[in-house]
Amino acid sequence: MKDTFVTKCQAVTGASSSDCGCAAGKVKEIMGDEGWQIAGYVLAGDRARAETELAKKGLGGMFGFIGQWSMAMGVAEQQCKVRGLSRM
């Protein structure tokens, strides 16, 4: 998942792989292992699987997940100096 995140981050923001790697680590830290796994499904375009996993794990619906994702991206933008992560 980290490679996918870094590749998408670079394409969307133009940031270096090092800065995008920092952002990936920060988002994973905030989201936790389960959230990070589900984010991988979302980034891969597999929304159905992401929704199924959210339901199975009792993590709330997609709207709650997107809210947590947005907060994690905001922290990563600030701490890793990568602008535009919200466009991912």
Side-chain angles (χ1 to χ4, degrees):
M1 164 58 184
K2 183 176 180 180
D3 291 339
T4 302
F5 184 99
V6 169
T7 300
K8 286 195 180 269
C9 171
Q10 288 181 286
V12 169
T13 67
S16 70
S17 62
S18 175
D19 288 344
C20 286
C22 171
K26 187 54 62 178
V27 170
K28 182 178 181 184
E29 175 187 340
I30 293 167
M31 300 290 293
D33 290 336
E34 289 180 337
W36 181 247
Q37 179 183 24
I38 293 166
Y41 302 141
V42 173
L43 289 176
D46 195 351
R47 184 182 172 117
R49 185 166 182 190
E51 290 173 339
T52 299
E53 291 301 316
L54 282 166
K56 284 176 22 182
K57 295 177 187 318
L59 296 175
M62 188 58 78
F63 290 116
F65 175 79
I66 296 299
Q68 184 183 16
W69 175 258
S70 295
M71 287 186 287
M73 294 294 244
V75 170
E77 280 185 346
Q78 290 179 346
Q79 293 185 6
C80 298
K81 311 278 190 274
V82 178
R83 299 289 175 235
L85 285 175
S86 60
R87 296 183 309 222
M88 288 179 56

